[in-house]
Amino acid sequence: MTLDIRGSLKNTKLSTNPYVVFEELLSNAIDSYLIRKASDPHAPDMQVDIEVIFVPAGLDENQEDMIISCRDNGCGLGDEQLKAFLTKDTSYKDDLSISGIGQCKGAGRIQFFHHFSELLLESTYQDGESLTERKLHYLEPQKQIEAEDFSSASGSRVKVGTSITLKRLRPFVHAKIMRGDELSSLFSASDLKKNVLVTFIQRLIGLDSRLGDFEIKFSSQHWKKDTQNTSLRRSDLPSVTTVEAVTANEYNPASGESVADPQSFKISHYKLDAKQYDLPKNSIALCAKSSPVKDITSRYLRTKTEQNNPVGEYHHIVLIESDYLDLRVNEQRDDFEYIAAEFVPGDMFSQDGISYAAIFEAIDPVIEKMVTPADWKKETVLKVVSNQFGISEEMLRDTSTRIVYGDSPLAVAERVLKKYQERVISETAQIVSLKDEITSAEPDSEDFREKINELSWKYTASLKNIDMANLSQLIVRRAAIVQILDLACGKGLAMQNVGSDARRKDERIIHSIFFPMRKDSAEVTDHDIWLLSEEYHYYDYIASDMPLSKLTWDDGNKIFSEDIDQGVQEILEKRADENSGKRPDIAIFSKEGSVIIVEFKAPGVQMDEHIGDLQEYAYLLNAKSAGKLKRFYGYLIGDSVNPLRLGGSWTKFPMGNGWFQSSGLIDPESGMKLGETYYEILHFNDVIDRAKKRIGVYQGKLNLKLDFQEEDF
């Protein structure tokens, strides 16, 4: 018989539970006592002593190490127990048929070797009419433990039982599992008692009188602090407040059909008076074999303050048990295996037809009633959800969306929209004519935006109420606009397929996508200037290819003097004939003195030949506004530029193909500073990429997996 330490450490992972060693020691002590009690009905009440001694780690008294010992009055390490100790995957306890004993695979003690480098075991057991003592001293780097490593002698001690001492905590365990926290702040006697109460409450109560009037003593010693002593007795255990049973649906992974007999789950709720039980936190956990395994407290108590403090003057311990969970707990007993987040029919990797989603669907309503603070009202959240997002109770029922404690109105709205959009996305296969409608769009037509709105609503046609998906419709609509701009810049729209003799209007088309031509924001509210920048959507005034002398603020005052258009005409006459009738393509104004000038250049037109336009417009607008406009942001947008003609004042963007320049607006004659300028030369592709990234942020928040790709058309 041999216990391969190195092999066991490789095959059994380190538990993420910082208290796992203490829990395994106590669990084994309880099992040992139950074995003794089964053969000796007159055995004394269970007694367990857990002691922690904190010592300096090396010569540095600022770092702590600890020595742990656990003494019990169980059956001791007899021949059968010795065989089980030396067998990794043991079935020893499974065959004992002793009620309440913990079934195991013998992996728990491997955590001792994960955590510590030294182990001392001293045990006294009944050997016929006499007592026998067994001892073991393991010290790393010993690779194996064999039966011959145990010494045996006639018992000199009167009491039957076992003492296990663990020394030399591994530094990486302290750093990884305890996260470098002070050991004495985690494992003091009082902290251990609280942890044992939470962790073992279900098992200790379930064992009823089989442990007798037991006592578990805790002691902690520190070379700089006072010794702590406390204990947990049977009389300290509370009574269970509520026990409820629920069922969770299970499905056949291959067929997706519901299994006739759903899985049963028992929910035990302990409501403990905070004045009597000074617990460090509330605990809600999925359990295995009467012990907490997976903490899910944060699902029901969303903040650390709620988790770590009494709720309504009570601490709450809620334990969820099931045969299903017992069979799926991992060897480290800190999680479950083969339970998917959600059930996906036909998933070849799914071994079970029940999911966490199904479990939570069954247990959530029960637990929410148990731990929800009395001052929280679901109706308050529902009112905000309805008023701010237009989501009704009918929509909540339609999508099976529940409002639970800790939910914000936004979180509820996002869940509803996500569910509706998932339905929409599943129906997009029906949209077979999308390619023709996109490529046939004519941005300069009167019904262009109406056409886009109709197109985007095809993706939300399955919704029962348009208000259900306003936000999602906006994202879909913007995605369509970006795709059309992408096609227009590449001359891919149907209306751009013209003969060689026909006059091309590519710039006009691109212009109209951003903002309808010869309109202003007083006439048009439905535009897409957000393509350039989201904030420009909210400027005071936008004008597109309109005489500047006609532009007015909200109060009717003119922005510029009457002769400004003459000045513009003089600038334009310096340019080619095709531009001689133009004004700034788009001008956006703020009463705070900012103006954004946008100039589009048709595909193939060299933008470097027009960089002077921006500067001349800035001088003119400053002068004709009587100096009120002082900050000028200019954009030249096209697809062609000769960098050699830009000069040293332009800087290339780190990403993309664009350039920028920032400088003062200086009067060329007096040298007086008139304002500030910031100009960008952008390629259409850069504008499109920026817009796609902004849409991607919203799509990610809504989990809306909508992507207009050119290959889809």
Side-chain angles (χ1 to χ4, degrees):
M1 295 181 294
T2 301
L3 179 61
D4 182 355
I5 302 298
R6 288 180 60 186
S8 298
L9 292 175
K10 286 172 59 179
N11 296 324
T12 300
K13 295 179 181 178
L14 174 68
S15 173
T16 58
N17 175 9
Y19 291 93
V20 66
V21 169
F22 295 95
E23 293 173 9
E24 290 295 342
L25 287 169
L26 181 54
S27 181
N28 289 337
I30 293 173
D31 290 342
S32 182
Y33 178 82
L34 291 172
I35 295 171
R36 178 180 180 182
K37 187 74 171 179
S39 61
D40 180 10
H42 303 291
D45 300 335
M46 187 185 77
Q47 181 77 43
V48 181
D49 296 331
I50 296 176
E51 182 181 55
V52 187
I53 301 175
F54 300 103
V55 296
L59 299 177
D60 186 357
E61 291 198 358
N62 292 322
Q63 298 183 30
E64 296 177 339
D65 195 356
M66 64 180 178
I67 301 171
I68 299 172
S69 65
C70 177
R71 292 181 294 277
D72 64 54
N73 62 342
C75 66
L77 199 68
D79 291 341
E80 292 299 317
Q81 290 79 34
L82 178 60
K83 291 179 183 178
F85 183 89
L86 294 174
T87 304
K88 169 62 166 59
D89 294 319
T90 179
S91 59
Y92 164 66
K93 293 181 182 179
D94 301 351
D95 299 331
L96 293 177
S97 300
I98 297 175
S99 177
I101 202 165
Q103 296 179 341
C104 70
K105 296 177 65 178
R109 67 184 175 283
I110 304 304
Q111 297 299 328
F112 301 163
F113 302 106
H114 266 306
H115 284 69
F116 292 89
S117 300
E118 186 174 359
L119 178 148
L120 292 88
L121 186 151
E122 297 178 321
S123 181
T124 301
Y125 66 95
Q126 191 76 37
D127 188 8
E129 297 297 325
S130 61
L131 297 178
T132 299
E133 290 184 5
R134 273 204 170 106
K135 294 183 180 181
L136 168 71
H137 185 192
Y138 165 83
L139 184 63
E140 194 182 57
Q142 184 178 340
K143 298 179 180 179
Q144 299 174 333
I145 298 178
E146 300 181 6
E148 291 76 15
D149 295 321
F150 287 83
S151 63
S152 298
S154 297
S156 59
R157 293 191 296 176
V158 177
K159 294 183 179 180
V160 173
T162 300
S163 172
I164 295 179
T165 301
L166 300 168
K167 297 181 179 181
R168 297 169 58 191
L169 179 69
R170 298 179 186 273
F172 82 88
V173 173
H174 185 192
K176 181 177 180 180
I177 305 302
M178 289 79 171
R179 299 182 180 179
D181 290 343
E182 194 175 52
L183 298 176
S184 56
S185 68
L186 293 173
F187 307 118
S188 67
S190 59
D191 289 319
L192 290 175
K193 176 184 176 179
K194 294 171 184 176
N195 180 74
V196 166
L197 178 61
V198 173
T199 304
F200 285 86
I201 187 171
Q202 191 76 334
R203 188 176 184 197
L204 293 174
I205 290 177
L207 289 171
D208 194 23
S209 61
R210 276 169 285 177
L211 302 179
D213 291 326
F214 69 83
E215 182 178 23
I216 305 171
K217 294 182 179 180
F218 304 92
S219 174
S220 59
Q221 301 176 32
H222 194 284
W223 77 95
K224 288 183 178 180
K225 303 176 183 178
D226 294 336
T227 299
Q228 281 190 18
N229 293 289
T230 186
S231 62
L232 178 65
R233 297 179 173 86
R234 182 183 177 189
S235 57
D236 296 327
L237 298 179
S239 300
V240 64
T241 306
T242 308
V243 177
E244 294 200 31
V246 298
T247 57
N249 291 327
E250 184 175 6
Y251 299 88
N252 183 311
S255 66
E257 297 178 353
S258 177
V259 175
D261 297 324
Q263 296 288 343
S264 297
F265 291 80
K266 184 177 77 171
I267 305 173
S268 301
H269 177 211
Y270 295 89
K271 189 176 179 181
L272 310 180
D273 190 331
K275 296 177 182 177
Q276 181 180 356
Y277 295 93
D278 182 24
L279 298 182
K281 62 179 182 178
N282 299 287
S283 179
I284 306 172
L286 300 173
C287 301
K289 302 176 177 68
S290 300
S291 297
V293 171
K294 189 180 185 70
D295 187 276
I296 55 173
T297 308
S298 60
R299 182 177 178 86
Y300 306 97
L301 299 175
R302 300 302 174 92
T303 67
K304 289 293 184 182
T305 300
E306 293 169 343
Q307 294 165 22
N308 298 334
N309 290 281
V311 177
E313 300 183 354
Y314 291 92
H315 288 295
H316 295 267
I317 301 175
V318 183
L319 305 175
I320 301 96
E321 300 174 275
S322 170
D323 292 340
Y324 180 83
L325 297 175
D326 289 349
L327 294 173
R328 284 154 184 81
V329 64
N330 63 13
E331 281 194 339
Q332 301 87 259
R333 300 178 63 80
D334 60 4
D335 206 344
F336 298 93
E337 296 176 336
Y338 313 124
I339 303 180
E342 294 186 4
F343 171 68
V344 180
D347 185 352
M348 67 177 66
F349 299 106
S350 177
Q351 298 189 25
D352 286 320
I354 195 169
S355 63
Y356 280 119
I359 295 172
F360 290 137
E361 184 179 359
I363 68 176
D364 280 354
V366 177
I367 298 177
E368 287 158 8
K369 292 178 183 177
M370 294 174 173
V371 299
T372 301
D375 59 353
W376 180 78
K377 302 294 183 185
K378 181 177 76 172
E379 292 74 17
T380 303
V381 179
L382 179 60
K383 182 178 180 181
V384 177
V385 169
S386 177
N387 291 343
Q388 291 190 1
F389 300 100
I391 293 176
S392 65
E393 288 189 69
E394 180 182 353
M395 294 168 63
L396 294 173
R397 287 191 296 270
D398 181 49
T399 56
S400 300
T401 303
R402 292 183 299 105
I403 299 176
V404 300
Y405 176 63
D407 272 345
S408 67
L410 177 60
V412 175
E414 286 177 340
R415 289 209 302 272
V416 172
L417 287 170
K418 175 186 175 182
K419 291 180 180 180
Y420 275 119
Q421 289 308 318
E422 286 174 347
R423 295 182 189 178
V424 173
I425 293 169
S426 68
E427 296 174 358
T428 55
Q430 302 175 17
I431 307 177
V432 295
S433 60
L434 187 58
K435 173 184 177 180
D436 294 338
E437 296 187 37
I438 290 257
T439 56
S440 299
E442 299 182 4
D444 62 342
S445 64
E446 290 294 330
D447 64 346
F448 165 66
R449 280 179 170 75
E450 182 180 352
K451 184 72 173 177
I452 291 300
N453 289 336
E454 292 175 359
L455 176 64
S456 61
W457 274 115
K458 285 192 174 184
Y459 275 87
T460 50
S462 64
L463 304 184
K464 296 180 180 179
N465 189 325
I466 288 180
D467 289 339
M468 296 177 184
N470 275 340
L471 180 58
S472 300
Q473 189 267 349
L474 173 66
I475 306 307
V476 176
R477 180 191 181 283
R478 286 190 171 190
I481 285 289
V482 171
Q483 179 61 30
I484 290 175
L485 176 61
D486 202 356
L487 289 169
C489 294
K491 302 179 182 179
L493 293 175
M495 65 178 299
Q496 292 174 292
N497 186 19
V498 297
S500 57
D501 297 332
R503 180 182 176 88
R504 299 199 63 84
K505 50 180 182 177
D506 298 324
E507 182 181 338
R508 173 191 177 95
I509 292 170
I510 295 170
H511 185 150
S512 298
I513 294 173
F514 282 78
F515 199 101
M517 294 186 68
R518 297 182 179 85
K519 304 283 184 181
D520 65 8
S521 53
E523 301 174 80
V524 174
T525 58
D526 188 15
H527 55 77
D528 292 278
I529 201 65
W530 65 270
L531 286 162
L532 194 59
S533 175
E534 195 75 46
E535 65 177 323
Y536 296 163
H537 224 81
Y538 308 103
Y539 265 57
D540 296 300
Y541 189 87
I542 305 175
S544 176
D545 200 42
M546 291 182 64
L548 299 180
S549 60
K550 296 183 179 180
L551 306 186
T552 60
W553 297 114
D554 295 346
D555 56 9
N557 291 326
K558 297 282 187 179
I559 297 179
F560 303 106
S561 58
E562 294 288 343
D563 62 347
I564 186 171
D565 289 317
Q566 180 180 350
V568 171
Q569 188 65 30
E570 292 173 359
I571 293 175
L572 295 173
E573 285 176 354
K574 301 175 184 177
R575 305 298 172 194
D577 290 341
E578 66 174 3
N579 293 323
S580 61
K582 284 183 50 184
R583 303 166 183 86
D585 287 332
I586 296 177
I588 309 171
F589 303 95
S590 165
K591 292 179 180 178
E592 298 175 354
S594 299
V595 58
I596 293 92
I597 305 165
V598 183
E599 279 289 293
F600 297 107
K601 298 305 170 187
V605 174
Q606 290 291 329
M607 290 186 286
D608 50 87
E609 297 178 1
H610 296 271
I611 56 178
D613 295 1
L614 299 177
Q615 190 77 348
E616 292 189 59
Y617 279 141
Y619 280 120
L620 183 64
L621 297 179
N622 172 264
K624 298 302 181 179
S625 67
K628 293 180 181 179
L629 297 178
K630 298 179 181 297
R631 293 191 298 277
F632 300 87
Y633 302 87
Y635 296 87
L636 270 176
I637 305 176
D639 68 357
S640 301
V641 64
N642 184 351
L644 298 178
R645 302 181 65 179
L646 294 180
S649 62
W650 291 89
T651 303
K652 188 175 178 61
F653 284 114
M655 303 294 290
N657 299 312
W659 303 76
F660 70 93
Q661 179 198 84
S662 178
S663 64
L665 185 67
I666 307 300
D667 189 312
E669 295 183 4
S670 67
M672 184 176 68
K673 185 175 181 178
L674 304 176
E676 298 286 343
T677 65
Y678 175 82
Y679 302 140
E680 290 187 6
I681 298 174
L682 297 175
H683 285 66
F684 289 120
N685 286 339
D686 295 329
V687 176
I688 293 167
D689 287 342
R690 290 180 184 181
K692 285 182 177 179
K693 288 177 182 177
R694 289 200 295 274
I695 292 172
V697 171
Y698 290 112
Q699 289 181 223
K701 290 182 180 297
L702 289 174
N703 197 23
L704 178 60
K705 300 173 183 176
L706 175 67
D707 189 14
F708 287 97
Q709 298 291 341
E710 188 163 352
E711 57 265 25
D712 295 335
F713 303 101

